[in-house]
Amino acid sequence: GIKNPLERLLGSTINSDTDVALILGAGGTARAAAYVADKLGLSKVYFNRTPSKAADLVDSFGGTLLDSLDSTVDDGTCLGDVLKEKRLRVVISTLPAAAKFELPTWVLSDETEVPIVFDVNYKPYQTKLLEQAEEAGCAVVRGSEMLWEQGVGQFELWTGRTAPYSIMKKVVLQNCLSTEESK
């Protein structure tokens, strides 16, 4: 569910020496995100409120554990340090929507090179992070897209038939959009 939308948006433009995926969170979906970033050839940086959980991701998939998302910091490793030599291509948030997480504004300040922002939440359809990303001109991927991609993959694996993609997408969106959002 994570790989296909990112592959469509990134195409063949990944430079494995410089391109980075920022993975927010450290639970099971963050593991899937790290796996996909690895398969796509992206370097991985992780940020989580509990660093020891994110350290497990570093142990399993490699990458860098961030102490901060700041542009500079006196002590520790911050996102700004990493991006001096690398390019942020993708942000994958596996944080709960209730966290109301937003990226530091400096991350989205270069209008010529904003990352793809993927928020795995499918309810609510629109999160603070997605609103921020859209306002900055980022391509976004919503959790609902991840959900129907998973369903399509499972349908095709189990049945050996081509999935009714548009029908599956419609059903997922009907169930993910609130009444106000679907108007």
Side-chain angles (χ1 to χ4, degrees):
I2 296 173
K3 185 176 180 234
N4 290 347
L6 289 178
E7 228 169 20
R8 278 193 294 273
L9 289 169
L10 290 167
S12 61
T13 64
I14 297 169
N15 180 334
S16 58
D17 294 326
T18 60
D19 292 352
V20 172
L22 168 61
I23 299 170
L24 304 165
T29 308
R31 292 187 75 73
Y35 176 82
V36 167
D38 200 50
K39 292 298 174 194
L40 292 173
L42 296 163
S43 298
K44 295 158 297 299
V45 293
Y46 308 94
F47 182 75
N48 191 55
R49 68 176 181 225
T50 309
S52 62
K53 288 185 178 182
D56 292 342
L57 292 172
V58 173
D59 291 343
S60 296
F61 298 100
T64 303
L65 177 59
L66 300 174
D67 298 305
S68 163
L69 295 177
D70 292 337
S71 58
T72 60
V73 68
D74 293 333
D75 188 27
T77 304
C78 68
L79 183 58
D81 291 340
V82 171
L83 297 182
K84 286 177 186 169
E85 300 174 9
K86 305 270 186 178
R87 179 170 76 148
L88 183 61
R89 293 296 305 279
V90 178
V91 175
I92 305 172
S93 175
T94 68
L95 301 171
K100 298 184 178 180
F101 177 84
E102 290 184 275
L103 289 165
T105 54
W106 75 268
V107 174
L108 303 176
S109 63
D110 182 358
E111 295 173 9
T112 62
E113 192 161 14
V114 291
I116 297 165
V117 176
F118 193 138
D119 191 329
V120 303
N121 289 287
Y122 49 90
K123 282 191 176 184
Y125 182 77
Q126 187 75 346
T127 62
K128 288 283 191 191
L129 176 60
L130 291 174
E131 287 174 8
Q132 179 193 33
E134 286 177 326
E135 286 174 14
C138 299
V140 300
V141 181
R142 290 176 166 74
S144 55
E145 187 170 351
M146 177 185 75
L147 195 60
W148 77 67
E149 286 285 354
Q150 288 173 338
V152 165
Q154 290 168 357
F155 180 94
E156 292 178 351
L157 181 66
W158 293 339
T159 66
R161 298 184 350 227
T162 300
Y165 189 90
S166 60
I167 293 170
M168 294 176 83
K169 178 180 178 179
K170 180 181 177 184
V171 169
V172 168
L173 287 175
Q174 284 173 340
N175 287 285
C176 289
L177 289 171
S178 68
T179 307
E180 299 81 41
E181 291 170 320
S182 61
K183 291 182 180 176

